[in-house]
């Protein structure tokens, strides 16, 4: 029958796509899970892959597509598949509880990049994360020093996960810390999206012609902001502060369109997280510890020695030689 | 009249009663499901372990509940795009109520009521306006996404106590509780569609709304009831998902509307309504869950998964249509 | 037909089954150029299926179609069109939002340079074509604004424009009134004279006898007779169609004393076009409504049936109680059941089974606390299929698979099962075969004998005379005449409908 034949054809095609990824048993198999298709996760995954290749580890990649249910399904499936450990960029700051319950039951260590929650730390192989509550602070401080008074605006990411809110708050804390008297005239959300940030920035520029600085909570949005400023013919008149240290952010700094960015390269973080997880598996690292993810402020002056997102294999090899990060006390919200 | 072929032998007649396209169509989905099962089981024997099969059911349970509710809407010629956002709102209602009152029972009630009320409001808007359900519920979807952000204050509402113990961790005879909930939802919808006047009215309205009206069916009231019913299912799914994740998240329902509609359509219910089955929807839901599980077990990399899933959904829908 | 006339199309041994059931069984058929060939048979005999196979809309299971010297095992629609075969369904498949000219030239629009549509040329050529056919249609009018007869003419004009030499007409007069039908016959004869072969399906045997050169009779998918038009008479034809002689006995109306009026209308006017209508209908009475299109018969039925609520003036009462339904279900609650003429658009739910369509207006009686009694529903549907001679007797069959006449019966079954006190029926036997028509009429009479009141709209003059106790002719939204069917013949009824005078016969 025609239909059956067609169904078979589809299946055959499917198998053809699957076949190359059916890899042979390697020494250790690690599941690498990313939250979604964003470049941040992609670069982290690439670096982890390079490190895994060097270390002779078999890395299987999963994506949750920003859906907490899918994330949980991925964890279950990885356990079924029989992986030795799970390295995960969690979708939400707190939905990992069920995931960790699953992993614990199966005795599979699970290491979180992002997603610190006090209640899961003890059962995890470890958690590595930036200090959310201070991530924007150095950026705010630097901008504050350049802008002792006047108007500024902020554009943050998708609300609802907690981080977008925390970044803006920490940026404002930085402004205050620098002694600047600048005031925010607009706080908008642009869902981490370049185009939406461009629209938001255009609106800010139209509504507040005296704005002298704009903070974008990631570099993708910073690019949108830079374009909006360029279109308004105000390039060079308005300071831009970003976060992430993404390749396109670095490029903006090179071109002089962005002042600085608070970098948290996923590449080096993923490499170290992978090493820590492997250490937990072979017993050389104590599980259940918190680690600060590497971060640094990038300006025109230190561009050359900044850790890039798109790390070359040689760079990854160098990171593998570095000492392992040490456990630390987890961050607390400034209010507490 | 002389024509060369006039004297040619008559073409052999096809066997009457042989399995034809119409009949086979019903089994297409089953065949696709089986093929996926076979391919995956060959690729990774663990696929067929009881644990993994239970995992798959657990993973699709909230989707199964939402899709069951959506089935009767599609049958009635309706559509609700706001179910994902409504799921988030219901889940947050549950989490917030538990946080403030400490009562899990009240939390469950809050989530279910929130879902039902949202459904009823959608129903009223659809029943009393000329705009299509697509446009109307696109509007409520956007509105509800905003409501979810406002309710949560932007961050997750953590901790659901006993709800997590039951839906996140608990099982009965090794089967996780959300799986029971899904099958209960499917059973209820099956009974409604097959054995009640409400179900029959849904088919009639979807098949020919004017004929339904001329037969004395209170079309508006039934529409409101159907959207409220679907909303109730969404509320239940919201409660369960909140338990599974031990938190209410403004993003927890993201994408559920499209996956639910995809599952219903893969299951053989056409978007124009008038026909459909909830067992078909179960097939659609299982297909979505199976494909994702299968790719994970076969080690298909994250970069390929979306494309493969899309291919399979498209193929499943096309096979349905042809049949 | 003289045997030396060249054949336009020839069919040998065509067989077609649906769901294991033979719809056509080894049918041979031919039609010559310039011939009008009638095709008759009971509902479900296979006429429409045969026409679809001729046009290429459906493939036969076996057999062959020889056209233009080529033998086909099956035509596809494109090959059918290329071979000069055009089909006009009962509801012509036209584009209501396009103009008359655009419909005629669809797919072959005159173009200027760069492929730009040449609307002017199209309109002129459409006008020429219509004039040649003796048709008077506004070429730039939106098709949806024309009545069904005009639409059919457009469909035929399109066929002629496509240089068809075989024209298939499936129940073209079912929805037409007498005058429109007469016009169509003239058109058909003209076309035949110019060499067009016409295959003509109808349940109106007088028409078929009058217009056909030869007549093929189908019964249960088999060709049972091929007769010369001139040599056949109606009763002979009927017995060939049915397979036995039909006794002319009809249920006699029990003599009814003039009972108290059941439905009373007093000076009703409405936005549907009714103008000061006053009317009394007794319990157990059968009233036929007729008139020219737009005359008000359907508007009156809609008001009585409780589906048009745009009441402007006047009052109505039912069984002595005021009657002013604001929703269809209020009318149904009062025992009033309305069945529309447009069965595909407003009547049947095509995706549901026969049983579910029959029960639709009376689910309350088939349910308890919202739970359906499915076994009873099936029983009821089986019973109703028997009574109305529904074919096939398969209550679970979806109605979209039924033949046109059987669909009409299923729709009527809904009203009968709902068991009302007042039935308002539009064209109750449109597309229904002779035998079934008599059965339905019998059934309605016995309902009336049991006390139900029946108001029906019909354009079928014989039906009006045979079924009604009183015939009301409407014009301009008013009841123009009330006629008694006794000693009334179709010609007099027709002239009453068509004359402008207001003289009452009764
Ligand atoms: N698509 C279909 N699927 C199943 N059965 C079908 C289908 N089309 C037609 N039939 C069946 O084939 C038979 C012939 O149908 P057809 O429509 O040709 O009858 P007909 O002679 O045109 O009747 P009518 O006078 O009522 O229009 C009927 O029994 C009908 O139920
Ligand atoms: Mg027919």
């Amino acid at each position: 029958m025609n239909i059956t034949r067609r169904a078979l054809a589809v299946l055959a095609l499917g198998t053809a796509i699957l076949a190359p990824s059916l890899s042979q048993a390697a020494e250790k198999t690690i599941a690498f899970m990313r939250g979604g298709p964003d470049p941040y996760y992609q670069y982290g995954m690439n670096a982890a892959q390079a490190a895994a290749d060097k270390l002779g580890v078999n890395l299987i990649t999963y994506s949750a597509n920003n859906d907490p249910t899918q994330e949980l399904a991925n964890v279950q499936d990885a356990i079924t598949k029989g992986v030795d450990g799970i390295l995960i960029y969690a979708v939400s700051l707190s939905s990992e509880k069920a995931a960790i319950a699953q992993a614990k039951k199966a005795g599979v260590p699970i290491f979180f990049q992002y997603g610190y929650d006090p209640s899961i730390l003890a059962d995890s192989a470890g958690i590595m994360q930036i200090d959310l509550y201070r991530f924007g602070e150095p950026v705010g401080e630097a901008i504050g020093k350049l802008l002792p008074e006047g108007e500024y605006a902020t554009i943050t990411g998708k609300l609802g996960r907690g981080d977008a809110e925390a970044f803006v708050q920490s940026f404002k804390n930085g402004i205050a810390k620098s002694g600047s008297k600048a005031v925010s005239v607009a706080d908008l959300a642009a869902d981490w999206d370049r185009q939406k940030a461009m629209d938001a920035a255009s609106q800010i520029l139209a509504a507040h012609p005296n704005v002298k600085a704009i903070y974008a909570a990631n570099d993708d949005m910073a690019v949108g902001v830079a374009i909006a400023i360029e279109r308004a013919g105000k390039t060079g008149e308005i300071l831009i502060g970003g976060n992430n240290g993404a390749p396109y952010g670095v490029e903006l700094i090179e071109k002089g369109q962005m002042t600085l960015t608070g970098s948290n390269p996923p590449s080096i973080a993923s490499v170290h997280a992978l090493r820590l997880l492997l250490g937990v598996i072979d017993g050389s690292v104590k599980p259940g510890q918190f680690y600060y993810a590497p971060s640094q402020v990038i300006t025109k002056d230190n561009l050359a020695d900044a850790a890039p997102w798109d790390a070359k294999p040689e760079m990854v090899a160098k990171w593998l030689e570095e000492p392992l990060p040490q456990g630390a006390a987890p961050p607390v919200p400034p209010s507490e | 009249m002389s024509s060369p072929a006039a004297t040619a032998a008559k073409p052999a007649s096809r066997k009457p009663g042989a399995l034809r396209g119409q009949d086979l169509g019903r089994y297409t989905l089953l065949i696709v499901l089986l093929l996926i099962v076979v391919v995956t089981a060959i690729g990774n024997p663990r696929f067929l372990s009881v644990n993994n099969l239970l995992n798959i059911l657990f993973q699709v349970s909230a989707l199964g509940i939402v899709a069951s509710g959506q089935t009767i809407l599609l049958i009635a010629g309706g559509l609700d795009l706001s179910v994902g956002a409504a799921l988030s709102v219901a889940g947050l209602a549950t989490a917030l109520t538990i946080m403030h009152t400490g009562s899990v029972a009240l939390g469950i009630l809050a989530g279910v009521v929130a879902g039902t009320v949202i459904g009823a409001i959608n129903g009223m808007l659809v029943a009393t306006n000329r705009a299509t359900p697509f446009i109307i519920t696109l509007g409520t979807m956007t509105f509800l996404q905003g409501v979810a952000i406002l309710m949560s204050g932007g961050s997750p509402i953590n901790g659901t106590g006993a709800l997590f113990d039951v839906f996140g961790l608990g099982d009965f005879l090794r089967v996780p509780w959300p799986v029971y909930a899904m099958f209960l939802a499917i059973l209820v919808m099956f009974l409604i569609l097959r054995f009640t006047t409400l179900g029959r009215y849904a088919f009639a309205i979807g098949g020919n709304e004017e004929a339904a009206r001329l037969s004395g069916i209170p079309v508006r009231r039934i529409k409101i009831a159907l959207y409220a019913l679907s909303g109730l299912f969404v509320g239940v799914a919201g409660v369960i998902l909140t338990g599974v994740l031990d938190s209410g998240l403004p993003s927890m329902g993201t994408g559920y509307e499209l996956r639910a509609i995809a599952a219903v359509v893969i299951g053989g219910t056409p978007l124009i309504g008038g026909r459909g089955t909830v067992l078909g929807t179960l097939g659609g839901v299982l297909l979505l869950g199976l494909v994702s599980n299968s790719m994970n077990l076969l080690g298909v990399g994250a970069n390929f998964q979306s494309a493969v899933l899309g291919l399979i959904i498209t193929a499943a829908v096309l096979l349905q249509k042809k049949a | 037909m003289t045997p030396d006339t060249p054949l336009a199309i020839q069919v040998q041994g065509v067989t077609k089954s649906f769901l294991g059931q033979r719809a056509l069984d080894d049918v041979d058929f031919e039609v010559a150029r310039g011939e009008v060939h009638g095709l008759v048979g009971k509902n479900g005999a296979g006429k429409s299926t045969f026409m679809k196979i001729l046009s290429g809309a459906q493939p036969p299971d076996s057999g062959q179609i020889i056209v233009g010297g080529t033998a086909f095992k099956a035509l596809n629609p494109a090959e059918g069109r290329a071979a000069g075969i055009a089909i006009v369904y009962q509801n012509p498949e036209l584009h209501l939002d396009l103009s008359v000219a655009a419909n005629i030239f669809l797919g072959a629009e005159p173009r200027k340079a760069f492929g730009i549509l040449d609307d002017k040329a199209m309109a002129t050529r459409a006008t020429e074509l219509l004039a040649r056919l003796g048709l008077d249609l506004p070429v730039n009018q939106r098709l949806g604004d024309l009545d069904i007869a005009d639409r059919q003419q457009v469909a035929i004009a399109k066929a002629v424009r496509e240089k068809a030499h075989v024209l298939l007409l499936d129940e073209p007069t079912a929805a037409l009134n007498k005058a429109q039908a007469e016009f169509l016959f003239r058109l058909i004869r003209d076309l035949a004279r110019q060499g067009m072969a016409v295959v003509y399906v109808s349940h109106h045997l007088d028409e078929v006898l009058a217009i056909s050169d030869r007549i093929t009779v189908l019964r249960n998918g088999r060709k049972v007779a091929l007769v010369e038009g001139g040599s056949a008479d109606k009763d002979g034809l009927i017995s060939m169609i049915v397979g036995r002689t039909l006794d002319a006995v009809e249920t006699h109306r029990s003599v009814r004393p003039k009972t108290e009026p059941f439905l009373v209308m007093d000076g009703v006017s409405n936005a549907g076009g009714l103008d000061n209508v006053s009317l009394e209908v007794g319990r157990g009475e059968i009233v036929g409504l007729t008139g020219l299109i737009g005359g008000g018969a359907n508007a009156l039925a809609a008001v009585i049936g409780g589906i048009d609520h745009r009441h402007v003036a006047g009052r109505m009462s039912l069984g002595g109680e005021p009657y002013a339904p604001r929703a269809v279900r209020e009318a149904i609650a009062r025992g009033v059941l309305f069945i529309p003429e447009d069965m595909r658009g407003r009547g049947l739910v095509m995706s549901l089974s026969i049983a579910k369509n029959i029960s639709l207006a009376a689910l309350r009686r088939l349910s308890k606390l919202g739970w359906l009694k499915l076994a009873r529903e099936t029983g009821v549907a089986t019973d109703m299929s028997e009574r109305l001679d529904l074919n096939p007797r398969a209550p679970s069959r979806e109605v979209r698979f039924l033949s046109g006449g059987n669909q009409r019966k299923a729709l009527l079954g809904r009203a009968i099962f709902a068991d009302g006190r007042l039935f308002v029926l539009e064209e109750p036997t449109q597309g229904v075969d002779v035998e079934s028509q008599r059965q339905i009429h019998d059934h309605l009479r016995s309902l009336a004998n049991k006390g139900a009141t029946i108001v029906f709209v019909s354009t079928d003059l014989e039906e009006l005379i045979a079924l009604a106790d009183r015939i009301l002719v409407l014009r301009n939204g008013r009841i123009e005449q009330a006629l008694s069917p006794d000693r009334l013949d179709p010609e007099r009824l027709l002239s009453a409908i068509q004359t402008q005078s207001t003289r009452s016969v009764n």
Side-chain angles (χ1 to χ4, degrees):
Chain A
M1 194 72 224
N2 201 8
I3 292 168
T4 325
R5 213 180 312 139
R6 222 173 319 162
L8 278 172
V10 171
L11 253 288
L13 180 66
T15 325
I17 296 174
L18 310 188
S21 47
L22 289 170
S23 33
Q24 295 78 28
E27 281 201 313
K28 286 262 183 319
T29 303
I30 300 294
F32 182 96
M33 302 194 176
R34 62 182 211 216
D38 322 40
Y40 184 82
Y41 299 125
Q42 188 67 45
Y43 284 115
M45 193 172 105
N46 293 349
Q49 187 68 61
D53 290 347
K54 284 245 157 40
L55 297 169
V57 168
N58 178 21
L59 199 74
I60 305 175
T61 55
Y62 298 77
S63 174
N65 287 319
N66 296 318
D67 172 4
T69 332
Q70 181 61 45
E71 176 163 278
L72 186 51
N74 287 345
V75 170
Q76 288 184 328
D77 293 347
I79 292 169
T80 305
K81 192 162 170 55
V83 298
D84 299 294
I86 298 171
L87 184 57
I88 182 169
Y89 269 112
V91 172
S92 92
L93 290 180
S94 65
S95 67
E96 309 92 349
K97 220 169 173 179
I100 217 165
Q102 298 279 347
K104 193 179 167 191
K105 206 158 67 181
V108 176
I110 179 166
F111 191 102
F112 292 90
Q113 303 198 69
Y114 228 74
Y116 166 68
D117 187 285
S119 64
I120 61 170
L121 184 56
D123 285 331
S124 70
I127 299 180
M128 177 184 278
Q129 180 172 310
I130 49 157
D131 185 349
L132 284 184
Y133 310 109
R134 285 175 192 80
F135 190 44
E137 202 174 287
V139 183
E141 264 188 272
I143 296 279
K145 287 206 182 94
L146 296 168
L147 188 73
E149 57 183 22
E151 296 180 356
Y152 72 94
T154 68
I155 298 175
T156 193
K158 199 172 181 63
L159 300 175
R161 213 166 58 165
D163 48 359
E165 293 84 345
F167 289 2
V168 171
Q169 193 49 54
S170 62
F171 174 81
K172 290 183 173 176
N173 294 345
I175 293 265
K177 214 166 163 185
S178 73
S180 165
K181 299 204 169 34
V183 288
S184 170
V185 291
D187 300 305
L188 302 182
D191 301 355
W192 311 116
D193 181 87
R194 189 174 293 198
Q195 165 131 38
K196 286 184 186 165
M198 186 176 104
D199 296 344
S202 305
Q203 285 153 16
I204 290 171
L205 293 176
H208 307 282
N210 293 325
V211 158
K212 287 287 171 278
I214 296 180
Y215 168 67
N218 75 359
D219 286 348
D220 217 350
M221 296 194 293
V223 174
V225 171
I227 295 170
I229 290 175
E230 201 172 340
R231 286 167 54 92
K234 291 190 169 183
T235 306
E237 295 172 32
I238 297 175
L239 304 169
I240 303 178
N243 260 136
N244 285 164
Y248 31 85
V250 170
E251 202 178 301
L252 276 187
I253 293 177
E254 265 168 8
K255 286 197 290 184
Q257 287 184 299
M258 184 154 77
T259 321
L260 76 163
T261 178
S263 175
N264 58 329
S267 45
I268 184 168
S270 292
V271 170
H272 285 328
L274 178 64
R275 293 171 68 203
L276 287 166
L277 175 61
L278 291 169
V280 169
I281 293 170
D282 68 24
S284 62
V285 172
K286 188 160 96 47
Q289 298 192 89
F290 182 88
Y291 308 88
Y292 280 101
S295 68
Q296 99 194 91
V297 172
I298 304 180
T299 63
K300 222 176 170 112
D301 306 327
N302 66 350
L303 270 178
D305 9 291
W309 282 26
D310 46 352
K312 301 264 158 357
E314 312 84 66
M315 187 76 84
V316 171
K318 208 184 84 202
W319 290 337
L320 288 174
E321 302 302 317
E322 284 182 10
L324 275 177
Q326 293 301 307
V332 282
S335 52
E336 282 171 35
Chain B
M1 174 116 234
S2 68
S3 109
T7 49
K10 283 183 186 172
S13 77
R14 279 176 220 161
K15 210 168 48 184
L19 198 63
R20 304 285 283 275
Q22 265 167 12
D23 305 312
L24 196 69
R26 256 183 259 159
Y27 304 110
T28 315
L29 182 54
L30 218 55
I31 294 169
V32 173
L33 286 173
L34 277 177
L35 285 176
I36 293 175
V37 166
V38 170
V39 169
T40 318
I42 293 169
N44 187 339
R46 284 187 208 181
F47 171 74
L48 287 178
S49 69
V50 174
N51 252 335
N52 186 54
L53 298 179
L54 287 175
N55 279 349
I56 296 174
L57 291 175
F58 176 71
Q59 289 160 14
V60 298
S61 48
L63 177 64
I65 296 170
V66 174
S68 299
Q70 191 78 239
T71 304
I72 200 167
L73 290 185
L74 259 74
I75 286 174
L79 181 80
D80 190 349
L81 284 178
S82 75
V83 289
L87 182 92
S88 303
V89 170
L92 283 167
T94 302
L96 284 169
T97 307
I98 294 176
M99 186 169 96
H100 288 298
T101 68
S103 161
V104 170
L106 281 181
I108 293 174
L109 188 69
V112 173
V113 168
T116 313
V117 168
I118 289 169
I121 292 172
N122 271 322
M124 274 185 270
L125 292 174
V126 168
T128 54
N129 284 287
R130 292 191 131 259
T132 60
F134 183 94
I135 295 298
I136 289 174
T137 58
L138 189 65
T140 46
M141 168 177 121
T142 313
F143 173 73
L144 291 171
Q145 282 167 346
V147 170
I149 300 270
L150 292 175
M151 283 172 81
S152 62
S155 41
I157 312 298
N158 295 322
T160 59
L163 204 60
F164 177 55
D165 298 335
V166 174
F167 289 126
L169 306 174
D171 58 44
F172 177 67
L173 303 173
R174 289 183 70 193
V175 180
W177 285 109
V179 177
Y180 290 106
M182 174 177 77
F183 281 113
L184 183 66
I186 287 167
L187 177 69
V188 168
M189 189 49 76
F190 176 81
L191 294 176
I192 289 174
L193 286 173
R194 172 70 68 90
F195 293 110
T196 70
T197 49
L198 182 68
R200 183 64 61 78
Y201 290 158
F203 280 103
I205 292 171
N208 187 338
E209 186 167 331
E210 176 69 358
R213 190 178 74 86
L214 292 187
S215 299
I217 295 170
V219 173
R220 281 187 190 182
R221 261 189 272 159
I222 297 297
K223 279 188 183 174
I224 296 171
L226 294 176
Y227 278 87
L229 178 69
S230 165
L232 177 107
F233 278 52
V234 172
V236 170
V239 169
I240 288 171
L241 203 55
T242 305
V244 168
L245 301 173
D246 195 24
S247 53
L249 306 166
S251 64
M252 66 200 284
T254 309
Y256 265 78
E257 58 286 327
L258 292 183
R259 261 177 297 151
I261 292 167
V264 176
V265 172
I266 291 170
T269 304
L271 278 171
I272 51 164
R275 58 180 77 245
T277 63
V278 73
L279 293 181
T281 298
L282 173 63
V285 168
L286 289 180
L287 180 76
L288 296 184
L290 263 179
V291 170
S292 152
N293 179 266
S294 158
M295 288 193 292
N296 278 346
L297 290 198
L298 295 177
V300 178
N303 290 344
F304 289 95
Q305 290 213 357
S306 194
V308 175
L309 181 66
L311 273 180
I312 291 182
I313 291 180
T314 309
V317 171
L318 289 183
L319 287 168
Q320 284 291 351
K321 275 269 144 9
K322 283 285 168 195
Chain C
M1 248 319 84
T2 42
D4 45 85
T5 318
L7 291 179
I9 190 165
Q10 187 185 10
V11 171
Q12 292 174 341
V14 155
T15 296
K16 174 88 183 174
S17 300
F18 293 108
L19 311 168
Q21 256 180 357
R22 285 265 152 113
L24 289 174
D25 194 352
D26 200 16
V27 175
D28 295 335
F29 179 85
E30 59 176 43
V31 54
R33 303 196 53 193
E35 177 188 359
V36 179
H37 197 126
L39 183 60
V40 296
K42 287 197 52 161
N43 295 131
K47 305 179 293 296
S48 296
T49 307
F50 188 69
M51 298 285 259
K52 284 179 197 152
I53 287 173
L54 282 186
S55 72
Q58 271 182 3
D61 295 344
S62 60
Q64 58 181 354
I65 304 156
I66 302 160
V67 51
T70 320
F72 294 90
K73 281 184 183 171
L75 290 167
N76 63 35
E79 287 168 341
R81 220 173 305 129
I85 303 168
I87 185 165
V88 178
Y89 297 102
Q90 183 175 330
N91 295 306
E93 290 170 0
L94 298 167
H95 296 266
L96 298 187
D97 282 322
L98 295 182
S99 70
V100 167
N103 267 289
I104 294 175
F105 282 94
L106 196 68
E109 293 85 354
R111 285 173 193 277
K112 295 189 270 205
F114 306 114
I116 297 164
L117 292 183
D118 189 347
D119 284 337
K120 234 195 234 145
M122 188 161 79
T124 346
R125 282 172 55 187
T127 315
E128 282 167 18
L129 175 65
L130 291 171
R132 192 148 52 82
L133 296 172
L135 299 174
D136 181 23
L137 296 170
V139 287
N140 290 319
Q141 190 99 348
R142 193 179 150 270
L143 194 78
D145 298 336
L146 302 185
D147 67 30
I148 181 89
D150 289 346
R151 289 183 207 170
Q152 221 158 43
Q153 291 164 6
V154 171
I156 292 172
K158 182 176 182 208
V160 173
R161 196 270 301 154
E162 285 171 350
K163 303 240 170 5
H165 55 260
V166 180
L167 182 61
L168 310 175
L169 301 173
D170 195 354
E171 302 196 33
T173 56
L176 302 192
N177 66 28
K178 197 83 185 173
Q180 293 168 327
E182 292 294 350
F183 189 87
L184 179 67
F185 296 151
R186 272 208 302 280
L187 180 56
I188 291 174
R189 287 205 187 90
D190 278 352
L191 290 172
R193 213 168 298 132
Q194 293 162 28
M196 179 88 85
V198 180
V199 183
Y200 182 90
V201 172
S202 177
H203 293 292
H204 295 291
L205 300 181
D206 294 322
E207 290 173 11
V208 176
L209 284 164
I211 199 172
S212 306
D213 298 308
R214 288 190 293 178
I215 302 168
T216 291
V217 183
L218 288 179
R219 195 195 312 145
N220 293 330
R222 246 173 262 232
K223 173 176 164 181
V224 292
L226 173 63
V227 294
E228 298 289 319
S231 69
D233 69 350
K234 191 173 172 184
D235 287 335
L237 204 51
I238 289 177
S239 56
M240 281 185 268
I241 289 169
V242 179
R244 61 193 157 82
T245 45
L246 264 196
D247 15 324
V249 211
E250 294 176 354
T251 315
H252 284 291
R253 299 302 319 278
S254 38
V255 191
R256 293 164 303 102
K258 193 81 181 158
T259 52
E260 86 282 11
F262 179 63
L263 169 72
V264 179
M265 299 178 72
D266 186 11
V268 172
S269 302
N270 83 345
L274 291 189
D275 181 8
N276 197 17
V277 172
S278 297
L279 172 67
E280 291 188 359
V281 183
R283 204 180 297 276
E285 192 181 7
I286 303 179
V287 172
L289 307 179
T290 191
L292 295 176
I293 286 171
N298 294 85
L300 180 54
V303 168
I304 299 174
I307 64 159
D308 185 346
H309 320 298
R310 300 168 300 169
H311 206 78
V312 174
R315 62 190 73 214
M316 292 197 287
S317 72
L318 202 64
E321 303 281 316
Y323 173 62
R326 271 165 304 129
V328 180
R329 62 179 181 284
E330 289 177 23
I332 290 184
R334 296 287 294 274
V336 178
L337 282 152
F338 175 84
I339 292 295
E341 173 183 4
D342 179 5
M343 79 187 167
R344 284 181 191 81
R346 309 175 68 197
L348 294 169
V349 183
M350 287 293 172
S351 58
L352 291 184
S353 68
I354 296 176
K356 290 171 183 175
N357 271 285
I358 288 179
S359 65
L360 196 61
L363 282 182
R364 210 159 290 193
R365 274 172 48 213
L366 280 177
S367 63
K368 197 171 173 186
L369 299 173
W371 286 85
L372 295 166
K373 300 171 185 165
L374 291 181
R376 265 206 59 201
E377 181 178 57
T378 309
V380 160
T382 311
D383 181 50
M384 193 60 70
S385 309
E386 213 112 295
R387 282 204 259 166
L388 294 177
D389 191 22
L390 238 159
N391 177 25
R393 300 274 155 82
S396 61
R397 179 74 49 88
E398 286 180 24
V399 290
R400 69 189 163 122
F401 294 133
L402 297 185
S403 77
N406 284 300
Q407 289 176 339
R408 179 74 58 188
K409 293 183 211 169
L411 182 57
L412 207 59
R414 176 188 301 165
I416 294 174
F417 172 63
D419 198 21
R421 299 189 295 165
L422 170 59
F423 295 94
V424 184
L425 314 171
E426 286 182 346
E427 304 294 344
T429 61
Q430 186 181 98
V432 166
D433 66 52
V434 250
E435 186 186 16
S436 302
Q437 188 182 39
R438 290 189 192 182
Q439 283 172 342
I440 289 170
H441 287 174
D442 273 359
H443 211 89
L444 295 177
R445 277 187 211 101
S446 73
L447 283 174
N449 287 343
K450 284 185 224 142
T453 304
I454 295 171
V455 175
F456 73 98
V457 178
S458 184
T459 47
D460 180 339
L461 305 176
E462 280 88 4
E463 171 165 80
L464 285 162
I465 293 168
L467 184 60
D469 299 323
R470 187 160 45 128
I471 299 169
L472 303 180
V473 180
L474 282 96
R475 185 177 300 129
N476 298 327
R478 283 186 223 152
I479 298 178
E480 199 73 14
Q481 295 189 44
L483 303 169
S484 160
D486 301 336
R487 295 182 306 277
L488 188 66
D489 56 40
E491 283 69 36
R492 276 186 47 215
L493 179 52
L494 182 60
S495 68
I497 290 171
Q498 286 175 336
T499 48
Q500 295 292 322
S501 82
T502 55
R503 183 170 36 88
S504 175
V505 172
N506 221 7

